[in-house]
């Protein structure tokens, strides 16, 4: 039963969101609204977060529900990997975040690298596309596909911003405390191994 409640809540939310998007019958719409409310109540019960906040974060979208996209820039310099310190939890991650609409994967990687680390990069290849929740055991309500993009480092200087408070390059054997919801040690190891390969087949779940 470990985390089964979370799976139920997410499935109910997805069913209700799709139902609300496509149903025309007012009675069906009412039923799907109630299903969505039940999913919010389950999340609130087990996380101790208010219904109002859960609703605004977890049940606030319309249309058919699909996974979110998180693009992470993998940047090396002198055999060290570039990481940024997140303001939210004071832990470290690869530069990146939710993909912006109207930007390609490579454009998002370049944007996040500059905004979070002040790094000018040239996206080179995709290392992996991974399902976040297969690697992190927490109560996160969304499904996310994480795209790891290897980038060539051109130049850079950290610029103060609203998301990160520091950036630095690290050896694999001397990694800082990681922000595990954003990247795990195994994923960082994957990036180091990928860099050693001239020809690379992207990894995907």
């Amino acid at each position: 039963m470990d985390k089964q409640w979370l799976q139920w809540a997410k499935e109910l939310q997805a069913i209700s969101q799709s139902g609300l998007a496509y149903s025309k019958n007012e009675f069906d719409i009412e039923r799907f609204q109630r299903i969505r409310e039940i999913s919010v109540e389950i999340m609130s019960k087990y996380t101790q977060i208010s219904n109002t906040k859960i609703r605004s974060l977890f049940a606030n979208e319309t249309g058919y529900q699909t996974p979110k996209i998180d693009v992470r820039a993998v940047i090396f310099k002198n055999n060290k990997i570039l990481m940024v310190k997140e303001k939210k939890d004071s832990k470290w991650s690869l530069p990146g975040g939710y993909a912006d609409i109207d930007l390609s994967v490579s454009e998002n990687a370049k944007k996040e690298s500059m905004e979070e680390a002040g790094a000018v990069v040239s996206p080179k290849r995709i290392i992996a596309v991974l399902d976040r929740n297969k690697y992190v055991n927490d109560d996160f309500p969304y499904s996310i596909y994480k795209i790891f993009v290897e980038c060539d480092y051109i130049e850079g200087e950290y610029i103060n911003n609203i998301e990160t408070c520091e950036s630095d390059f690290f050896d694999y054997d001397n990694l800082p405390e990681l922000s595990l919801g954003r990247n795990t040690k195994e994923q960082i190891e994957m990036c180091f191994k990928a860099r050693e390969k001239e020809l690379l087949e992207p990894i995907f779940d």
Side-chain angles (χ1 to χ4, degrees):
M1 291 294 292
D2 184 40
K3 303 294 184 183
Q4 183 64 65
W5 61 269
L6 179 60
Q7 187 60 40
W8 286 335
K10 290 168 63 177
E11 188 171 350
L12 287 171
Q13 154 57 21
I15 291 170
S16 64
Q17 186 170 310
S18 296
L20 290 170
Y22 296 111
S23 294
K24 303 299 182 183
N25 184 282
E26 61 180 307
F27 297 105
D28 286 338
I29 291 173
E30 187 175 278
R31 294 183 186 101
F32 283 120
Q33 287 173 336
R34 179 56 189 145
I35 291 173
R36 172 172 266 191
E37 191 61 32
I38 290 171
S39 73
V40 169
E41 290 172 5
I42 292 172
M43 287 290 294
S44 179
K45 171 72 173 179
Y46 284 91
T47 62
Q48 301 300 307
I49 299 174
S50 71
N51 280 24
T52 301
K53 188 168 185 179
I54 291 290
R55 193 177 295 107
S56 67
L57 295 175
F58 174 56
N60 63 337
E61 299 180 349
T62 59
Y64 188 81
Q65 189 164 26
T66 61
K68 295 181 177 294
I69 302 296
D70 177 10
V71 178
R72 294 286 155 180
V74 180
I75 307 161
F76 286 96
K77 177 184 177 183
N78 299 328
N79 297 318
K80 295 184 177 182
I81 197 167
L82 179 62
M83 307 199 77
V84 293
K85 189 174 185 179
E86 301 285 345
K87 286 186 176 180
K88 283 188 176 181
D89 60 10
S90 296
K91 298 177 184 178
W92 294 76
S93 73
L94 302 173
Y98 288 141
D100 288 347
I101 61 170
D102 296 329
L103 293 182
S104 67
V105 171
S106 62
E107 289 169 338
N108 271 286
K110 291 168 69 174
K111 171 181 173 291
E112 293 291 340
S113 299
M114 173 54 67
E115 289 182 350
E116 296 191 356
V120 179
V121 302
S122 176
K124 179 179 178 181
R125 58 186 180 179
I126 291 177
I127 295 174
V129 180
L130 303 178
D131 183 336
R132 175 203 184 276
N133 293 337
K134 292 184 182 295
Y135 301 88
V136 184
N137 185 25
D138 61 8
D139 299 340
F140 198 73
Y142 297 116
S143 293
I144 296 181
Y145 290 164
K146 302 181 72 68
I147 304 177
F148 294 82
V149 182
E150 183 178 355
C151 302
D152 289 330
Y153 179 75
I154 300 174
E155 62 181 1
E157 182 177 350
Y158 175 79
I159 302 171
N160 188 40
N161 62 88
I162 62 173
E163 294 183 282
T164 68
C165 54
E166 190 178 346
S167 70
D168 205 349
F169 287 89
F170 295 91
D171 292 313
Y172 177 72
D173 294 329
N174 190 35
L175 294 175
E177 185 177 8
L178 299 177
S179 183
L180 296 179
R182 296 175 174 85
N183 42 219
T184 66
K185 187 174 182 180
E186 292 74 20
Q187 289 165 348
I188 302 300
E189 180 182 18
M190 171 192 71
C191 295
F192 272 90
K193 289 182 177 179
R195 184 173 183 268
E196 298 172 356
K197 299 179 180 180
E198 183 177 349
L199 297 177
L200 177 69
E201 291 187 10
I203 299 168
F204 61 94
D205 295 318

